Amino acid sequence: MNLITQAGSEVQEEGSEEGGGHGSARSESPFSATQDPNSEDLSLDQRAELLNKYQRVRTETDALSDPLSAEDMQLQSMPDASPVKWHLAHTSWFFETFILRHHLDDYRLFDPEFHHLFNSYYNSLGQPFSRPQRGLLSRPDTEQVFAYRRHVDRAIERLLAEEDCSAEVAALMTLGLNHEQQHQELLLTDILHAFSINPLLPAYLEEPADDALSGQSQPPSWLSVPEDTYTIGCDGDAFHFDNESPSHSQYLQPFRIASRLVTNREYLEFMEDGGYCEPRLWLSDGWAWVQKSQRQAPLYWQEREGGWFQFTLAGLQPVNMDAPVSHVSFYEADAFASWAGHRLPTEFEWEVAAWLYRRPDTLSAANLLEKRQYQPVPESAAAPQFVGNLWEWTGSAYLPYPGFRASADAVGEYNGKFMCNQMVLRGGSCITPADHIRISYRNFFYPHQAWQFTGIRLAGDQV
Amino acid sequence: MNLITQAGSEVQEEGSEEGGGHGSARSESPFSATQDPNSEDLSLDQRAELLNKYQRVRTETDALSDPLSAEDMQLQSMPDASPVKWHLAHTSWFFETFILRHHLDDYRLFDPEFHHLFNSYYNSLGQPFSRPQRGLLSRPDTEQVFAYRRHVDRAIERLLAEEDCSAEVAALMTLGLNHEQQHQELLLTDILHAFSINPLLPAYLEEPADDALSGQSQPPSWLSVPEDTYTIGCDGDAFHFDNESPSHSQYLQPFRIASRLVTNREYLEFMEDGGYCEPRLWLSDGWAWVQKSQRQAPLYWQEREGGWFQFTLAGLQPVNMDAPVSHVSFYEADAFASWAGHRLPTEFEWEVAAWLYRRPDTLSAANLLEKRQYQPVPESAAAPQFVGNLWEWTGSAYLPYPGFRASADAVGEYNGKFMCNQMVLRGGSCITPADHIRISYRNFFYPHQAWQFTGIRLAGDQV
Amino acid sequence: MNLITQAGSEVQEEGSEEGGGHGSARSESPFSATQDPNSEDLSLDQRAELLNKYQRVRTETDALSDPLSAEDMQLQSMPDASPVKWHLAHTSWFFETFILRHHLDDYRLFDPEFHHLFNSYYNSLGQPFSRPQRGLLSRPDTEQVFAYRRHVDRAIERLLAEEDCSAEVAALMTLGLNHEQQHQELLLTDILHAFSINPLLPAYLEEPADDALSGQSQPPSWLSVPEDTYTIGCDGDAFHFDNESPSHSQYLQPFRIASRLVTNREYLEFMEDGGYCEPRLWLSDGWAWVQKSQRQAPLYWQEREGGWFQFTLAGLQPVNMDAPVSHVSFYEADAFASWAGHRLPTEFEWEVAAWLYRRPDTLSAANLLEKRQYQPVPESAAAPQFVGNLWEWTGSAYLPYPGFRASADAVGEYNGKFMCNQMVLRGGSCITPADHIRISYRNFFYPHQAWQFTGIRLAGDQV
Amino acid sequence: MNLITQAGSEVQEEGSEEGGGHGSARSESPFSATQDPNSEDLSLDQRAELLNKYQRVRTETDALSDPLSAEDMQLQSMPDASPVKWHLAHTSWFFETFILRHHLDDYRLFDPEFHHLFNSYYNSLGQPFSRPQRGLLSRPDTEQVFAYRRHVDRAIERLLAEEDCSAEVAALMTLGLNHEQQHQELLLTDILHAFSINPLLPAYLEEPADDALSGQSQPPSWLSVPEDTYTIGCDGDAFHFDNESPSHSQYLQPFRIASRLVTNREYLEFMEDGGYCEPRLWLSDGWAWVQKSQRQAPLYWQEREGGWFQFTLAGLQPVNMDAPVSHVSFYEADAFASWAGHRLPTEFEWEVAAWLYRRPDTLSAANLLEKRQYQPVPESAAAPQFVGNLWEWTGSAYLPYPGFRASADAVGEYNGKFMCNQMVLRGGSCITPADHIRISYRNFFYPHQAWQFTGIRLAGDQV
């Protein structure tokens, strides 16, 4: 059995940012983090580092709301999405509920009603406020929500100033910060969707983000990966969600995978070839979805004056034909792959390939035979950028890894209960916080959903 | 044939406030107002009076938004309701669209996009923006909407300063102001509903309005009205909506009608007697509605700690048992009447009775025989307050009066196209602007709707 | 006050068939019939006549199922419709439940379960079996249902052989027979709808019924009716449903009404003029219905090879352009009338005009002034056939007549509880049993429904 | 790498019944069968054997309809189910469409309309008749459908009498017979569901089937299976569906699996412990399903007079507490497993365990190490009955095996397009034809569906 993905190694590197290396997380937790909750209290340096990271993440979240008015922050354009204001409050609720209530002795709740209002889906904490009605909470207003954030910030600062601040607190803090980073991305996807409804086509950004991905006009190259039993997932000391563990073996057949994502130009070919009108290209449920939703193009595409435009965070922009196609559903990704004569990669194939791409010098068939001694290198050294463009739909259903057990306490409702009916996405997107991206990261959405920054990478069997 | 309701007389009295008495309105208009569009231009006094009324109504609308934040003003809690911000903009759109675009030569649109965004349902002006998504228009923001209002105000002032300002403009102005008064009431009903969703139970008013209607603990008296052919509706010079005309004859059988509305105490008896569980009391569609909506009490009632409370504009308040029951659907009103062994009045019975109540000295059977010479007196002289408490469900479907013709132009989509599936309500409510209430006024809602200020008056046949 | 419609007179004529003339029905009954329940027992002749009518109606119902297989009789193509087998059973259930259980001493229920299975909507008799699932009752099978019919027939024969058979029984028998005649028509409308779903286009009739109405290629003439106070409805001795009473006065403005129904050719003009695409022609709810239902032609029309065909009881047939347009909804009827510059008649106008049409010698304006002495003549004497083609949508909502009271017992759930949200249709159709048609008859359906044999007659104001 | 499942071996045994052993099926086919389509024509014996099997399967299908009336055979109680008559016709359509039209020269279609009516979901053959309306096809009637079956039978007999009947025909015949066996089971599950709606509680069987599974009152034993790389699926000569291939390696962690299914008694404990009211036991989508469906017990359970009954093919019967719980959804199976502190097996674990159970002498840990030389034995030799009781929900989503490719022709729409949103079930049920059951068989349904004969087997990790 080979061990191409030495998850622990990666984790140690990243872990250093987080004061890591202090042993393994508790097995029943929905995450693994850098502190051993059973160890002694945190050192002064550790607490300072944690506070520093806390302040950075919280500030980044605040900054995301800068271009938005109070009215913008209240928008909820569909039940799947949440208002920005709700994201701002819920992430604070998380720190309050899972840390401050239990670990800061004299902590005073900012408002007892918030316990109900900003609970997302933790049934063990009482019935959450009706999700599709989050946009109807004009009260508390935005100012109060920011006051709530500051109230929680002050309390966290007090907690981290305490000499007996425990490793368990550190673990929960890390979870809370990763949770907040997830909501940073959701905040952006949700405001993009909300703005897309408005005929005024409001722009969140003044100008389009620099598109590092343009110019992909060449056909992709294909990486061939030999059959073997690979290690998937991670259980090292560095932070990861519970659904990424336990690390375990997966036998893979030989496969090949494309070096880049499908472009808008390629997707347009599929459209112009009648892709949306040919049931044989689609999964049965996908075809039913096309019929019902009347979808004929990616979610944010509009045809105007003969040309294709796409609604983006910078408003309506002409479609860049050499950029990766984005905001497609799994059904569209799968149908495109069928049309192209390929398929989507499994999440396991994707994870193995991502590790290989990190070490371009191993990409020859010969080197691959030696991959057992392979040591991962920092992301920055990777030549072909494999992750961080768009979340890539895989052909894998979101299911527990062998040996997975969800935590028995409230935080345990984090990932496990969603392991049905959803598909795994890998890789992270251009709006995912950079230090939140991991090769072992498992994102998941329903196959019809397209409002996330989703794209398509092709794969195939070796024959 | 008798003429108990000399609509023209009423109209002349009210008309004097509006510079009325200048002949009849054009027959194809969705309203009738005080100026003859074919007459000469308005006098200086007339223009001054019109401006004065305009400024008063507009100021009143502005004031209604005082207790509300920008976020409050964006709430839309159901497709039937609209955000406050939308009401503020749409009423300005009405002046812009139907008056300024056509009658002010160099009028500059505030924003061409608003033509689409704030069109309510005038299909002849292009497809309106999707009604259930009005709450998703964070842009334009509240400040822009107020700027829009001021932009329209300045233009109207300029228009009324012109010496050749025509009577047609005056007629449209009067329609626009009545239209805005309708939205003043809707603004309040809609924010009440929106606030009712929020577990924080926000209050629009700091304290409950003085309840002039409490203390109705005595049984109602009954007014008996003899059979006759009565005149219903109005076509006089004073303003009225097109659906109130033409005035026409209706033969009525002898009937009796209660002197006051059904109280909360009486309605609670119905509830405690199992009224919501007895299908025989309900119309077939009403029973289906009860089953589906799970309604077991008036819309805003909540049982807490053994007592009944009602969500009001002043937040949650104990139910005042001697006040009229409010926020009931037609189905509930009809079922209550069946339970009580009575029925609802028709809109014609209601209108005749309302005129009689205005003249308490005519209430003896003897006097009624002389009613042909009866002249209406000002509302203030009426002893029993008959109108202005709650909109009273009648047993009449909302249908055109004999001879009714909707206007062929865009404004003609005002009332006529709703003449199906709705029931007539009469009388006006405690949140209807006082000078907007008329005995001939026909309000209309679907039989399941209860978020308006609706109540129940009983009637019966004479045997 | 005039008395154009001497309902009693009509009733006496028809009543003679039914052994009528025995005083008025009880006021609390959902119908009025020929016997006074308080009078002495029925005579031998009366019982014989009643039995004769019973046997005729029951035999007619049986005969309607002749062209159908057991599978056909089980079809239920939408919740509004019922299987033929269910109609056969329910009409027997009616006699069993309201007559035999109470008036035949030793009556043995055919099957106690049928009390639940074949209850249509009488909540006071227990919760009926779910209406949309009537098509799922393969058991009892058709043979058992016919055995049920015969079981009830034998019992009714025994009942009518008893010397002390009361007038109350006669009244209920008459109601039961009229009820069964209603279901004869529904049986045909429902099987037509069910067959319309089947791509094999099954025919119920071997050949099209002789179309007495073809050749209507001339423009209609218009009957002018002067204003007056007319008597509407009936309360005589002859049978009529409770919703047709009490007879009462209605003041009508002068109006005119077309001499024939709108033809397919005329309706096609409306279609070809874009009638289904012009929102201004439609009621607001009607336009929403067109959008949602995607209706673009009458319910059973299909365009094939460039021509229009209509699915009928005789299968698919070319549209006869000179026959009346049928199977239109109220929304379509109303939109057509708007397009044509006319309107639909009210049910009161229709009833008055129908009486006038019975006496063509009264059709001059002069004669109309004398109409107070007018005596109705038998239907057969009427020259222009005014009734019995199609049910004609009126502009009247289905509401109680002044003084209407539904019966307090179970049979009282017959008509009154449907008096909301539906529109009145008048006249009877080509599939209505001839002796079931009455000028005062009030049929009612929801404005979107079109599977009945419905048509359009135009009316207008006199100017 | 081990080869515990020597699919080919199994296949050869079964294959002998089918004239097997003639090489591998074409790779692009949605199935694999015993003939090499490229080989020479079939021998006389082979054709005789095929005909024999054909006649047996067809006769079995016919016999399933014996207890049913024409009306029963038309029932469709939900869109997921089909009428018996439709099953009878569709299975004939399959032979007609994929074999007779192409391989019998002068074949005359029974009725060209049937091509559309009885197409299930093969979009490449034209748009199928609307699935939820299959119950509305009273025509063709049952007699015609049986005539259709005989028409196809005669043609198949002629085809198999031809000397140049090819191996390709044999492969398609085998597919058609397996397809018909699938519908035999569906026919029973669908009529059970349809009868369950009828308050008369009709029984398909006169008496309950002999319950071989009662008496399971002892706790299950647990089989421990060591980690290894196992071969899953099959690609041998014997028939199997395309979704069972290619056979491929799967690395499995050590696991344990219960020796018997969960009983009704055990499931009732879960219910009585509040299992349906505790969100923490449920997947998120499962909890939403419980809330919406109001499910509180297995699909066919009813509580009557204090005891639990179950609606079965033999009508309503008391729940046998020692029999396996049946008609549960995946959500219920998963929640039960959580409550019990276990989990469901993956489909791979299930397949490995099923092979081991076939050879009880290998069940010691020692023997398992030698399992590579293991040869499967006939089912009859297996001591603990592992398959054929109920379809067992696994924790595996229904996805393609590595290397799976659906056929490009119409028959290729068989399995692949459903590989999304469904869960795999293994094992076969008491109503699955015995010779249709295979260890490698992959059944699949949506996680909320419970009208199949589904049950629960527990598994767990080894610690």
Side-chain angles (χ1 to χ4, degrees), chain B residues 3-11 231 233-234 355 372 374-376:
Chain B
L3 271 168
I4 184 170
T5 58
Q6 247 293 351
S9 310
E10 177 198 25
V11 152
T231 298
C234 66
W355 279 110
R372 300 173 201 197
Y374 169 69
Q375 292 298 321

Side-chain angles (χ1 to χ4, degrees), chain C residues 322-361:
Chain C
D322 292 332
V325 64
S326 62
H327 297 291
V328 288
S329 70
F330 171 79
Y331 294 132
E332 288 165 307
D334 183 82
F336 177 88
S338 294
W339 172 82
H342 300 286
R343 61 170 173 82
L344 303 178
T346 67
E347 63 167 320
F348 312 117
E349 291 169 342
W350 191 96
E351 186 166 325
V352 169
W355 279 109
L356 291 176
Y357 263 105
R358 276 213 171 174
R359 281 283 299 271
D361 58 322

Side-chain angles (χ1 to χ4, degrees), chain D residues 229-241:
Chain D
T229 301
Y230 296 91
T231 299
I232 298 294
C234 67
D235 356 69
D237 291 341
F239 176 81
H240 57 268
F241 286 110

Side-chain angles (χ1 to χ4, degrees), chain A residues 174-209:
Chain A
T174 304
L175 177 63
L177 292 170
N178 275 275
H179 172 261
E180 181 140 350
Q181 287 184 310
Q182 291 183 307
H183 280 275
Q184 288 172 355
E185 177 159 4
L186 292 172
L187 184 157
L188 292 171
T189 59
D190 292 355
I191 198 69
L192 175 61
H193 189 269
F195 278 0
S196 78
I197 308 295
N198 193 325
L200 301 180
L201 299 169
Y204 174 85
L205 299 174
E206 290 189 13
E207 355 183 332

Side-chain angles (χ1 to χ4, degrees), chain D residues 121-440:
Chain D
Y121 51 65
Y122 294 84
N123 289 307
S124 51
L125 301 174
Q127 185 162 15
F129 180 71
S130 161
R131 178 173 184 143
Q133 296 188 309
R134 288 175 185 169
L136 299 181
L137 298 175
S138 63
R139 318 284 179 96
D141 65 19
T142 310
E143 273 185 47
Q144 283 172 287
V145 165
F146 278 111
Y148 181 35
R149 288 181 69 81
R150 296 298 81 80
H151 175 89
V152 166
D153 288 350
R154 296 299 82 81
I156 291 289
E157 286 161 13
R158 278 204 295 128
L159 176 66
L160 292 180
E162 290 179 356
E163 294 200 351
D164 60 349
C165 181
S166 69
E168 184 186 357
V169 164
L172 287 164
M173 285 290 297
T174 304
L175 177 63
L177 291 171
N178 276 274
H179 171 261
E180 181 140 349
Q181 288 183 310
Q182 291 182 308
H183 281 275
Q184 288 173 356
E185 178 159 4
L186 292 172
L187 183 158
L188 291 171
T189 59
D190 292 356
I191 197 70
L192 174 62
H193 189 268
F195 278 0
S196 78
I197 308 296
N198 193 325
L200 300 180
L201 300 170
Y204 173 85
L205 299 175
E206 290 191 11
E207 355 183 332
D210 180 41
D211 197 340
L213 302 171
S214 62
Q216 302 205 8
S217 53
Q218 300 304 312
S221 56
W222 293 82
L223 170 67
S224 290
V225 182
E227 72 169 333
D228 212 327
T229 301
Y230 296 91
T231 299
I232 298 294
C234 67
D235 356 69
D237 291 341
F239 176 81
H240 57 268
F241 286 110
D242 55 353
N243 62 8
E244 301 167 52
S245 71
S247 76
H248 63 285
S249 299
Q250 283 277 351
Y251 174 85
L252 299 185
Q253 310 245 21
F255 67 97
R256 57 203 197 94
I257 190 165
S259 60
R260 63 158 173 79
L261 300 183
V262 170
T263 63
N264 287 315
R265 186 183 314 285
E266 289 160 346
Y267 198 83
L268 184 58
E269 276 181 61
F270 161 74
M271 288 165 57
E272 291 176 344
D273 194 38
Y276 281 94
C277 306
E278 177 46 77
R280 269 176 287 192
L281 295 173
W282 296 78
L283 287 161
S284 182
D285 288 351
W287 182 244
W289 171 80
V290 165
Q291 303 294 100
K292 191 175 171 194
S293 70
Q294 302 281 310
R295 198 66 62 85
Q296 294 294 314
L299 176 58
Y300 292 130
W301 284 33
Q302 298 179 20
E303 202 164 18
R304 295 199 166 191
E305 299 147 27
W308 284 103
F309 290 74
Q310 180 168 13
F311 187 72
T312 73
L313 286 171
L316 197 67
Q317 301 289 339
V319 169
N320 175 349
M321 288 299 165
D322 292 331
V325 64
S326 62
H327 298 292
V328 288
S329 70
F330 171 79
Y331 294 132
E332 288 166 306
D334 183 83
F336 176 88
S338 294
W339 173 82
H342 300 287
R343 61 170 173 82
L344 302 179
T346 66
E347 64 167 321
F348 312 117
E349 291 169 342
W350 190 96
E351 185 166 327
V352 169
W355 279 109
L356 292 176
Y357 263 105
R358 276 213 170 173
R359 282 284 298 271
D361 58 324
T362 68
L363 291 185
S364 72
N367 280 347
L368 278 168
L369 297 177
E370 307 305 321
K371 64 191 172 306
R372 300 173 201 198
Q373 286 73 43
Y374 168 69
Q375 292 300 320
V377 295
E379 181 78 39
S380 54
Q385 196 183 341
F386 201 82
V387 297
N389 305 322
L390 294 169
W391 287 104
E392 306 178 16
W393 286 110
T394 73
S396 296
Y398 178 51
L399 293 170
Y401 281 172
F404 170 82
R405 296 296 289 267
S407 161
D409 59 19
V411 192
E413 291 190 52
Y414 204 95
N415 279 311
K417 74 178 182 181
F418 300 108
M419 289 175 174
C420 191
N421 299 323
Q422 308 202 42
M423 301 304 287
V424 172
L425 300 102
R426 291 297 196 104
S429 83
C430 51
I431 61 163
T432 312
D435 65 343
H436 189 71
I437 291 177
R438 276 187 305 284
I439 283 181
S440 60

Side-chain angles (χ1 to χ4, degrees), chain C residues 396-412:
Chain C
S396 297
Y398 178 50
L399 293 171
Y401 281 172
F404 171 82
R405 296 295 290 266
S407 162
D409 60 19
V411 192

Side-chain angles (χ1 to χ4, degrees), chain B residues 304-320:
Chain B
R304 294 198 167 195
E305 300 148 27
W308 283 103
F309 290 75
Q310 179 169 15
F311 187 71
T312 74
L313 286 170
L316 198 67
Q317 301 289 340
V319 169
N320 175 349

